[in-house]
Amino acid sequence: MTSISKPPVRHPGLPRNALGLTTRDYEGGMSTLCAGCGHDSITAAIIQAVWELDLPPHRAAKLSGIGCSSKTTAYFMRQSHGFNAVHGRMPAVASGVHAANRELVCIGVSGDGDSLSIGLGQLCHAIRRNVDLLYVLENNGVYGLTKGQFSASADVGSKSKRGEPNVQPPIDPVLLAITLGATFVARGFSGDKKQLVPILKAGLTHRGFALVDVISPCVTFNDHEASTKSYRFTRGHRHELAPVDFIPVTHEIAAAAEPGAPLPVTMHDGSVVRFRAVGEDYDPTNRDAAYAHIRRLQSQGDVVTGLLFIDERAADMHSVNGTVDEPLTGVPYEQLCPGSAALEALQEEYR
Amino acid sequence: MNDFAFKIGTVNGTGSASANALIMQAIFRMGIPVSGKNVFPSNIQGLPTWYEIRVNGKGYTARAAHFDLVVALNPATYARDVAEIRPAGFLLYDSSWPLDAALAREDVSLLGIPFGRLCGEAFEGDRERQLMRNIAYAGALVAFLAIDMGVVEGMIREQFGRKPALLDSNFKALRLGYDFAKASFPCPLPFHLERMDATADYIIIDGNTAAALGCLFAGATVGAWYPITPATSLMEAFKGLCERYRVDKATGRKRFCILQAEDELAAAGMVVGAGWTGARAFTPTAGPGISLMQEFIGLAYYTEIPAVFFDVQRVGPSTGMPTRTQQGDLFSLAYASHGDTKHIVLFPANPEECFAFAVRAFDLAERFQTPVFVASDLDIGMNDWMCRRLHWDDSYRPDRGKVLGAEELERITRFSRYMGENGDAIAARTLPGVDARGSYFTRGSGHDVHAGYTEDAAAYSEVLARLARKLNQAAEAVPEPVIDRRGAGSSTGIITIGGCDAAVREAVDHLRSDGMDIDYMRIRGFPFGPDVVRFLGEHDRLFVVEQNRDAQLRSMLAIETGKPRDEMTPVLDYGGVPLSAEPIVEAVKGGLRTADSGLRIGQTQSALPGGHPRNPQSLTR
Ligand SMILES: Cc1ncc(C[n+]2csc(CCOP(=O)(O)OP(=O)(O)O)c2C)c(N)n1
Ligand code: SF4
Ligand SMILES: [Mg+2]
């Protein structure tokens, strides 16, 4: 099988963003995933989000590990550089990319196998480093690409297609990320693009590590009756926390102050994330409260989705390092090399 | 005069390192060629450690095989320390206590100085007494070896000038040892120092610092690492240099980014990510790290991403002996990762080459868009070497290789990442963040010349075949070997690599002065270039000296050039200490005898199936 590029079709009626681009301009190669795979819906949401953000394609870098989910970086933004790395190691690659060029908008895509088993250490350390990266974890409870083994996110009691129950407790990336000090933690559902798109936009705008765990059913290996990662189960048990609106900095921010917007959070670039109808017992800027709230709903059997925690004040990797503002790839060589006179002088100390 | 070696045996963590460095540097400042080898334990405090100093007016810097003087201050190693003194040599020991039976040797002169008692009386507190005991033995050595006291005092003043209390105690301790030696023994000893003027063009530096300087001057901006002996000091040196030369004066902001990763695997991934993005990026590590990095190395090879790896080799396999030296990673670097791979490897022999090859590594990595390894070792990396002054050519500009920017992309109709223009083995790349027309998808899975996913045999093979051609081409770009021919027509040669250089060169001088016609070649790069192949072809009796058990270099020469293995006699040393010249001379001369230091001649061959008996009987056939 060889990669298929989509034929360029002109759709004169499609709306254009500030760059004059349509959503089609943000598409990628033809997906080779199973028809109905949740991952394809996430791809569509990513396309919508970057189009709405007017993101210049060349400014983005798409990074992923290995898995059906990780393949999807080839299915959006064909005009952006993409890097399908090795299994579970996308966070290290992203850290290097961002270290080299802090102006790139890094979009990482991973799976639950990629992130929570082989790459768990890398995920934890990327969170700790607070590398500026949107990290989309396409979570289906199985290893899709190796044909359906349970992953570390499978719930206890969830059954495989052949009927075997999973016995080991799951690792919940959302709780893990909050515990580790992540500065942006959200959960979405591939079946709810309306909820997902503003979350992705906020995640892309967030300066630092933005984890977006997306329940993304694997129709081939984990969408049956006794699975807890199926479309049906997720629809039936989903508890949607305060929907958010993302108001980019280019818009009149004053509009954010309208009634029914109880909790606007201003992002580092001036954009605003506005939570609609947050319950009294929930504060998405309070780490401990957020954690407790998610746990409470989980114990009732609910899959909580929404933008769960956000901290816009934390320093990201480059702020901690104190790196210059311009990308390191753009610093002229003359400013990097001390030159022969400095070398001569330095060597006097080596005598 | 100016041709002797001495050795100081102490306990690590007691502060002897600075006293030892003081002595070596003082000799260097007297203009006399000197080398120091630190033989230390993988431990923080309490285990035996030795510092060996060789003084040689002719400039030989390989490790000495015998010692004229041993300073034995660690009772735990008395017996073996005393055994290393040459007949009629000297032993300096702490005579605060009665002579230990282990120290008795009839053919050695005893120099007893009660360092412990003297310092106990002169100083307060255990720590100061312990520290000053080191300075006291340094003072005694000043007297015994005729080290210039003015030079030593000057160095102490440089170090403690701003701390009067410390300055006073150091001077006092120095005098304690010096005066006692002068008053009790005929000073100086028969072998001692005499000022020369042979070090003006030299500096004292370790290979890791020199490599870090190379990274700085090459314009590396991203460094990723995970601490491991003996590579740690490379990144620490780089950090120190960057803080000095790469911080914007006005804003205090950094023109570098050092990432201390969670492990070597991540460090490799960071370097690959940064290299893909267009930064010069590197990671320093040792064998265990190289093992962890394998998957990323293969990815970088196949997706053609520049990345520089420093492997400061230590004794393997596994954790091995972390503080001892070896050249055991040659195979695992040259053919790192699964599938068909081959990599550029540079082999510096000393800090001067660590500096130069670091710069070269970045140029080669970007020109050939592939991982490049600099195979240093613990001896080169961590020991203080007398090294020719480093020079920098201000006209140097980084070789960024074929990178297409917006203008170039404007001129072409379609950018195909993995297609070499006009059949060229190197295909142009683009960097993210520059121009949408240059976008492509990087994948470690099968890809065609357009960077598209493929499972097609022909499309896959086309790219892989080009990679082979690319690496062949690199053979002509790596540093050429250093060849020293005796004259026309010698059919005997000795081949070596990396840090064996000093010992092998010294051995070659010996052999030649004994009347043997022997040519010398030191390999400095892999894939082997045409000069290497020619040298192999011109000699039918070759000795290959390297520091590993399995004659890895010899195997690589056989594999890559077809040179029959039985024309290359291995001379192997893998016990973990730097090589000396004597055993090489012996090995080449006799070709058979083995010492117990881990030196093996031809022995590994007997275990291999087939072929002729390969032990050399004589040099001339
Ligand atoms: C080092 C390594 N081990 C194993 C594999 C095989 N492998 C490929 S994808 C995968 C699991 C992917 O699962 P997940 O990340 O959940 O992605 P999904 O396919 O479910 O989207 C595995 C084990 C590999 N590619 N590399
Ligand atoms: S196997 Fe599952 S995860 Fe993979 S493409 Fe098919 S539905 Fe999607
Ligand atoms: Mg999965």
Side-chain angles (χ1 to χ4, degrees):
Chain A
M1 191 209 66
T2 300
S3 63
I4 308 154
S5 47
K6 280 186 195 168
V9 189
R10 293 210 137 267
H11 291 264
L14 283 178
R16 295 182 179 275
N17 65 10
L19 303 174
L21 302 176
T22 68
T23 49
R24 293 237 115 189
D25 296 314
Y26 289 89
E27 287 178 352
M30 192 86 82
S31 170
T32 59
L33 303 185
C34 308
C37 175
H39 301 346
D40 277 336
S41 313
I42 303 172
T43 297
I46 293 173
I47 291 170
Q48 184 69 26
V50 290
W51 178 80
E52 287 181 16
L53 281 178
D54 306 318
L55 183 63
H58 76 274
R59 277 200 52 219
K62 307 172 292 177
L63 310 159
S64 58
I66 298 288
C68 296
S69 36
S70 292
K71 283 183 179 186
T72 62
T73 42
Y75 311 144
F76 60 86
M77 298 181 86
R78 85 172 75 74
Q79 300 191 64
S80 307
H81 276 66
F83 194 165
N84 205 176
V86 285
H87 196 20
R89 318 298 178 190
M90 175 268 282
V93 174
S95 300
V97 169
H98 185 61
N101 185 346
R102 60 185 301 173
E103 282 180 359
L104 288 173
V105 177
C106 291
I107 304 174
V109 177
S110 177
D112 43 323
D114 203 61
S115 289
L116 302 179
S117 292
I118 192 165
L120 184 65
Q122 295 231 327
L123 169 63
C124 295
H125 285 275
I127 290 173
R128 222 183 131 231
R129 216 174 283 129
N130 203 18
V131 48
D132 194 357
L133 165 71
L134 170 68
Y135 191 104
V136 182
L137 198 168
E138 307 192 347
N139 191 343
N140 54 16
V142 287
Y143 295 174
L145 196 57
T146 52
K147 303 202 160 196
Q149 302 81 3
F150 281 125
S151 81
S153 74
D155 294 307
V156 175
S158 183
K159 285 192 180 151
S160 75
K161 227 179 159 180
R162 279 199 241 115
E164 298 157 53
N166 174 49
V167 289
Q168 292 186 56
I171 297 174
D172 180 346
V174 155
L175 292 178
L176 177 75
I178 293 179
T179 308
L180 288 172
T183 52
F184 184 106
V185 184
R187 173 139 53 213
F189 171 43
S190 65
D192 186 349
K193 192 172 167 189
K194 220 170 116 237
Q195 181 194 36
L196 188 54
V197 170
I199 289 177
L200 291 172
K201 285 163 72 180
L204 281 162
T205 309
H206 175 71
R207 178 152 52 190
F209 191 92
L211 177 82
V212 183
D213 177 45
V214 189
I215 308 297
S216 176
C218 167
V219 290
T220 304
F221 297 110
N222 206 13
D223 196 32
H224 43 271
E225 192 61 32
S227 160
T228 59
K229 291 279 190 294
S230 64
Y231 280 112
R232 226 175 94 173
F233 184 93
T234 310
R235 289 213 173 90
H237 293 78
R238 199 152 72 96
H239 176 101
E240 204 186 329
L241 270 182
V244 295
D245 298 317
F246 179 80
I247 304 141
V249 67
T250 42
H251 289 227
E252 269 300 314
I253 295 297
E258 67 194 37
L263 192 65
V265 177
T266 307
M267 321 268 309
H268 76 94
D269 71 344
S271 306
V272 170
V273 176
R274 193 177 54 187
F275 290 80
R276 275 184 267 148
V278 179
E280 298 226 325
D281 53 349
Y282 188 72
D283 176 1
T285 63
N286 179 329
R287 191 178 292 278
D288 294 340
Y291 189 92
H293 192 80
I294 298 163
R295 287 289 281 169
R296 192 159 55 244
L297 286 162
Q298 240 175 21
S299 63
Q300 296 165 17
D302 283 350
V303 183
V304 192
T305 62
L307 175 42
L308 306 169
F309 175 75
I310 180 167
D311 173 4
E312 277 303 297
R313 291 154 311 170
D316 77 335
M317 182 180 90
H318 276 300
S319 313
V320 170
N321 183 60
T323 325
V324 288
D325 284 334
E326 74 242 64
L328 288 174
T329 48
V331 178
Y333 174 69
E334 292 67 30
Q335 289 182 27
L336 298 175
C337 178
S340 62
L343 185 62
E344 294 287 312
L346 176 68
Q347 289 183 93
E348 285 313 306
E349 296 168 26
Y350 298 156
R351 288 195 41 91
Chain B
M1 220 65 59
N2 291 348
D3 182 15
F4 58 91
F6 59 105
K7 173 170 184 159
I8 301 154
T10 53
V11 175
N12 81 321
T14 56
S16 55
S18 45
N20 299 338
L22 181 79
I23 294 162
M24 177 183 166
Q25 203 177 350
I27 298 172
F28 174 82
R29 286 197 183 179
M30 289 172 70
I32 306 163
V34 61
S35 64
K37 304 284 180 204
N38 191 9
V39 181
F40 61 106
S42 179
N43 175 272
I44 304 302
Q45 207 178 67
L47 286 184
T49 182
W50 294 271
Y51 197 70
E52 305 174 354
I53 293 181
R54 180 179 182 191
V55 176
N56 185 279
K58 290 192 202 135
Y60 290 129
T61 56
R63 177 173 184 250
H66 309 285
F67 297 94
D68 300 276
L69 164 70
V70 163
V71 184
L73 296 173
N74 179 7
T77 59
Y78 276 171
R80 64 189 269 199
D81 291 350
V82 165
E84 284 189 290
I85 307 174
R86 66 153 164 88
F90 290 80
L91 169 72
L92 172 59
Y93 71 103
D94 192 334
S95 58
S96 308
W97 306 275
L99 184 70
D100 191 294
L103 286 175
R105 217 182 102 177
E106 301 239 311
D107 59 343
V108 157
S109 308
L110 295 180
L111 308 168
I113 298 184
F115 296 113
R117 182 167 58 74
L118 293 175
C119 292
E121 289 162 7
F123 299 103
E124 298 291 317
D126 288 349
R127 185 64 187 162
E128 183 168 39
R129 284 175 177 150
Q130 189 184 48
L131 288 174
M132 289 310 134
R133 186 172 167 230
N134 299 317
I135 303 300
Y137 77 66
L141 289 171
V142 169
F144 287 131
L145 302 176
I147 301 175
D148 189 325
M149 185 55 122
V151 169
V152 177
E153 286 181 338
M155 286 168 52
I156 290 180
R157 211 168 280 125
E158 279 169 30
Q159 204 179 341
F160 300 112
R162 282 197 224 105
K163 298 171 188 155
L166 281 176
L167 190 68
D168 284 352
S169 16
N170 274 275
F171 278 156
K172 192 160 134 194
L174 198 65
R175 282 283 161 190
L176 277 181
Y178 181 84
D179 292 343
F180 196 99
K182 279 266 178 185
S184 320
F185 305 99
C187 289
L189 299 179
F191 52 88
H192 55 261
L193 302 165
E194 229 164 63
R195 261 189 182 279
M196 287 176 69
D197 188 18
T199 63
D201 289 333
Y202 289 80
I203 55 171
I204 290 184
I205 192 170
D206 61 78
N208 283 351
T209 303
L213 269 169
C215 295
L216 178 78
F217 277 70
T221 51
V222 178
W225 70 303
Y226 187 77
I228 186 167
T229 305
T232 297
S233 59
L234 200 163
M235 191 55 97
E236 284 173 349
F238 182 72
K239 184 161 182 264
L241 290 166
C242 283
E243 275 160 4
R244 189 157 163 184
Y245 296 108
R246 288 269 192 84
V247 176
D248 188 291
K249 292 230 165 56
T251 62
R253 306 279 285 279
K254 298 174 179 167
R255 291 191 211 100
F256 63 96
C257 184
I258 294 173
L259 299 167
Q260 186 180 322
E262 56 270 35
D263 52 35
E264 286 89 345
L265 210 157
M270 291 168 179
V271 168
V272 168
W276 179 78
T277 309
R280 287 196 152 187
F282 71 99
T283 181
T285 189
I290 292 291
S291 291
L292 279 179
M293 293 175 179
Q294 296 288 309
E295 196 183 14
F296 264 122
I297 292 167
L299 177 77
Y301 170 80
Y302 188 35
T303 58
E304 305 188 56
I305 295 171
V308 172
F309 300 80
F310 291 88
D311 178 10
V312 189
Q313 298 169 90
R314 63 188 218 182
V315 170
S318 189
T319 302
M321 296 196 280
T323 58
R324 297 292 147 86
T325 197
Q326 206 174 57
Q327 297 173 320
D329 298 349
L330 307 188
F331 282 157
S332 63
L333 297 179
Y335 309 108
S337 204
H338 57 277
D340 286 320
T341 64
K342 192 189 278 187
H343 307 291
I344 298 175
V345 191
L346 312 183
F347 305 100
N350 49 53
E352 188 185 359
E353 286 187 344
C354 286
F355 176 68
F357 289 5
V359 179
R360 189 92 170 247
F362 287 101
D363 285 339
L364 290 171
E366 289 200 291
R367 171 141 38 114
F368 289 96
Q369 302 173 8
T370 196
V372 174
F373 298 89
V374 182
S376 174
D377 64 33
L378 180 139
D379 179 27
I380 303 171
M382 289 188 70
N383 279 320
D384 283 335
W385 288 60
M386 198 180 93
C387 158
R388 277 194 302 194
R389 269 178 200 268
L390 307 175
H391 292 289
W392 185 251
D393 175 0
D394 284 321
S395 68
Y396 169 87
R397 285 297 172 278
D399 180 351
R400 309 308 310 260
K402 288 189 187 172
V403 182
L404 305 184
E407 279 174 36
E408 290 94 343
L409 288 165
E410 181 75 53
R411 278 187 246 119
I412 56 175
T413 40
R414 180 180 184 188
F415 167 60
S416 294
R417 169 64 182 97
Y418 295 116
M419 182 143 57
E421 212 185 342
N422 305 322
D424 196 341
I426 301 171
R429 65 180 188 135
T430 57
L431 305 176
V434 176
D435 194 300
R437 285 167 300 185
S439 66
Y440 72 99
F441 198 80
T442 307
R443 42 165 65 86
S445 45
H447 47 264
D448 60 19
V449 293
H450 311 295
Y453 180 84
T454 191
E455 291 174 4
D456 179 82
Y460 159 83
S461 304
E462 186 182 358
V463 174
L464 214 71
R466 182 178 53 73
L467 288 181
R469 283 192 285 127
K470 188 173 83 167
L471 263 289
N472 281 344
Q473 206 169 300
E476 310 224 359
V478 299
E480 73 292 352
V482 173
I483 293 176
D484 174 15
R485 282 181 218 273
R486 181 58 166 162
S490 168
S491 64
T492 306
I494 186 162
I495 298 175
T496 195
I497 194 162
C500 298
D501 179 52
V504 178
R505 273 186 169 276
E506 189 178 340
V508 166
D509 285 355
H510 270 273
L511 291 164
R512 286 177 178 173
S513 66
D514 287 354
M516 267 175 227
D517 268 350
I518 191 159
D519 290 344
Y520 170 87
M521 172 170 74
R522 174 164 63 87
I523 288 168
R524 303 197 297 171
F526 181 85
F528 303 125
D531 294 348
V532 173
V533 177
R534 200 171 312 121
F535 188 91
L536 292 177
E538 286 166 359
H539 299 82
D540 51 18
R541 168 37 95 220
L542 288 163
F543 290 85
V544 183
V545 185
E546 53 188 309
Q547 287 192 294
N548 57 63
R549 184 194 65 184
D550 291 344
Q552 296 184 25
L553 174 63
R554 190 188 71 145
S555 290
M556 283 160 64
L557 288 168
I559 292 167
E560 298 286 330
T561 72
K563 178 77 174 172
R565 290 155 69 98
D566 60 356
E567 290 180 13
M568 299 185 285
T569 302
V571 178
L572 307 170
D573 179 277
Y574 56 92
V577 286
L579 204 55
S580 329
E582 275 90 342
I584 303 168
V585 172
E586 259 181 58
V588 174
K589 273 190 176 172
L592 282 171
R593 255 165 297 129
T594 58
D596 231 10
S597 66
L599 186 89
R600 297 285 182 276
I601 308 127
Q603 179 158 329
T604 50
Q605 286 313 292
S606 55
L608 291 175
H612 329 278
R614 284 149 178 160
N615 290 347
Q617 295 297 331
S618 73
L619 273 176
T620 41
R621 281 202 306 194

